[in-house]
Amino acid sequence: MAVVLLMRRHALRTDKIISPLRAASQTRFESNLPRDRFLVTPRELDQALKRNAPSKLSTAPKTIPVCGTWFLPNDPEKRKGYEVYKKAHIRKARFFDLDKVSDTSSPYPHMLPSPEVFQEAMCELGINRDDTVVVYDSAELGIFSAPRVAWTFKILGHPAVHILNNFKLWVDEGYPVEEGEQREFNRTDYPTPSLDTSKVVAFEDIKTIAFDHNKEGSEPIQILDARPSGRFNGTDPEPRPGLPSGHMPGSISIPHSELLSPETKAMLPADQLRMVFEQKGVDPKHPIISSCGTGVTATVIDTALIQAGYGEGVRQVYDGSWTEWAQRVQPSDNLIVKSE
């Protein structure tokens, strides 16, 4: 069965110092970040910033840190991404608001933005298309929402995107941070991008895959679910009130925390990631779709697959994920499975 890919449409500076990627125009600039790696280390980012730091005086392509911090709506500490950004962020970092740079007309949270919405955000944040962006997360969570922001950049065609692995290590290793409100940036003239719909799968396609699960002759498409096992099994509640927990027929539970170091919250080395996928029974020769609660930690799985070099075929993300699924399937469909 072929998957039919459908796409839903989706301050003034008050900071102070508190402690001591490329698509560059090939004739003007060459980033010193490794082009063959999606994840970069704090040391690599520090060196890149020293060489190609954001500057109001230069129009040359730059290396720009982008903070993509976001927290679940049921966060026990009631943290908000921008509030955490104000407490400590990489110097001259831009804050990317997942909830605002999205399809706000959708009933589902932070769905992919339209090309026009993304373009306006880039202009306001002072990012040019030939700048290298390095997205990072909160020190508390290590890697959580930064992959979603980086995936958004990639889906909308930004050529040079990396993820910092990770901000907790950046802080622990003594690299400089600053506090305060986001700076004002010179507005850029970012061109209208195009969406790469080949990397996104929609509800109707997932429903077809679920109905075809275990049917003779159906294509073995794998759905990897990044939510915690309790929510996957249906024994723990979802963070959004009224939403049933459970999982899609045939999906595989890979909690995103299992892809991170328990000490540093950084992504595991490639060989350990491959071991996780192998132990979970993920076949690299068959298509893989990543899902989660709202399409955020699904991209942690997608990033881990890239980091591990795992998967030979189609690799996609279900944008609406469980929040859309649980609201749109009918009880008579029997498409919400709870483990015994």
Side-chain angles (χ1 to χ4, degrees):
M1 179 202 69
V3 179
V4 180
L5 296 171
L6 302 174
M7 201 41 231
R8 266 183 317 274
R9 223 209 110 301
H10 23 248
L12 291 177
R13 177 180 176 184
T14 58
D15 54 82
K16 63 178 182 179
I17 302 297
I18 59 175
S19 72
L21 256 100
R22 151 211 145 225
S25 160
Q26 293 184 353
T27 59
R28 298 167 59 199
F29 163 81
E30 185 72 20
S31 170
N32 59 345
L33 289 172
R35 282 186 277 172
D36 60 341
R37 283 195 290 109
F38 192 23
L39 273 65
V40 298
T41 67
R43 182 174 181 273
E44 288 169 333
L45 174 57
D46 180 63
Q47 290 177 337
L49 290 175
K50 287 176 178 175
R51 178 182 174 187
N52 303 303
S55 170
K56 289 185 177 182
L57 301 178
S58 173
T59 59
K62 307 171 291 294
T63 298
I64 297 181
V66 173
C67 175
T69 298
W70 178 85
F71 296 94
L72 285 166
N74 67 338
D75 180 63
E77 300 177 38
K78 301 187 183 304
R79 292 168 294 185
K80 301 295 183 183
Y82 186 61
E83 296 305 312
V84 170
Y85 166 91
K86 288 194 297 183
K87 291 179 181 178
H89 55 266
I90 296 175
R91 190 166 183 265
K92 296 186 180 180
R94 278 67 161 157
F95 178 74
F96 188 102
D97 192 328
L98 267 178
D99 290 320
K100 290 183 179 179
V101 188
S102 67
D103 179 3
T104 56
S105 68
S106 172
Y108 313 111
H110 42 256
M111 297 290 284
L112 274 170
S114 68
E116 293 76 17
V117 168
F118 182 79
Q119 174 194 32
E120 177 60 23
M122 295 301 97
C123 293
E124 289 185 358
L125 293 174
I127 297 175
N128 286 296
R129 193 174 184 277
D130 56 359
D131 290 334
T132 296
V133 298
V134 181
V135 189
Y136 70 92
D137 230 307
S138 68
E140 296 93 332
L141 299 181
I143 288 184
F144 182 65
S145 55
R148 172 69 189 201
V149 175
W151 181 75
T152 300
F153 270 87
K154 288 166 69 69
I155 287 296
L156 282 146
H158 194 87
V161 186
H162 296 274
I163 296 173
L164 176 64
N165 194 26
N166 60 18
F167 188 53
K168 174 176 166 47
L169 289 175
W170 176 279
V171 173
D172 290 348
E173 293 172 11
Y175 291 104
V177 298
E178 62 185 5
E179 66 178 10
E181 301 282 349
Q182 181 163 238
R183 301 162 180 253
E184 286 188 333
F185 304 109
N186 289 335
R187 186 179 175 86
T188 57
D189 187 19
Y190 197 96
T192 303
S194 298
L195 276 166
D196 182 1
T197 57
S198 69
K199 301 297 185 183
V200 189
V201 64
F203 170 79
E204 292 82 3
D205 305 314
I206 295 289
K207 190 174 181 180
T208 300
I209 293 167
F211 272 132
D212 286 351
H213 175 61
N214 278 340
K215 288 185 178 179
E216 186 177 354
S218 63
E219 186 178 1
I221 299 172
Q222 304 162 106
I223 300 174
L224 312 186
D225 193 320
R227 292 174 301 149
S229 57
R231 290 164 58 191
F232 179 91
N233 293 328
T235 56
D236 291 343
E238 289 293 312
R240 290 165 179 80
L243 203 66
S245 56
H247 59 272
M248 304 165 200
S251 56
I252 301 171
S253 176
I254 305 184
H256 84 276
S257 59
E258 295 184 11
L259 304 172
L260 308 180
S261 162
E263 292 81 24
T264 66
K265 308 299 182 186
M267 188 155 284
L268 294 172
D271 58 340
Q272 295 183 36
L273 292 173
R274 285 193 291 271
M275 188 179 301
V276 171
F277 293 127
E278 289 169 0
Q279 291 174 344
K280 296 286 185 176
V282 180
D283 190 334
K285 296 180 181 178
H286 295 310
I288 297 172
I289 297 172
S290 300
S291 181
C292 60
T294 61
V296 174
T297 55
T299 60
V300 177
I301 291 181
D302 192 66
T303 299
L305 290 167
I306 296 172
Q307 180 75 352
Y310 201 90
E312 302 170 11
V314 177
R315 194 186 71 247
Q316 300 168 301
V317 170
Y318 175 24
D319 195 16
S321 285
W322 189 257
T323 298
E324 180 184 37
W325 182 259
Q327 292 183 63
R328 292 189 64 180
V329 296
Q330 300 300 313
S332 58
D333 293 333
N334 294 316
L335 293 178
I336 292 182
V337 181
K338 295 181 183 290
S339 301
E340 296 293 334

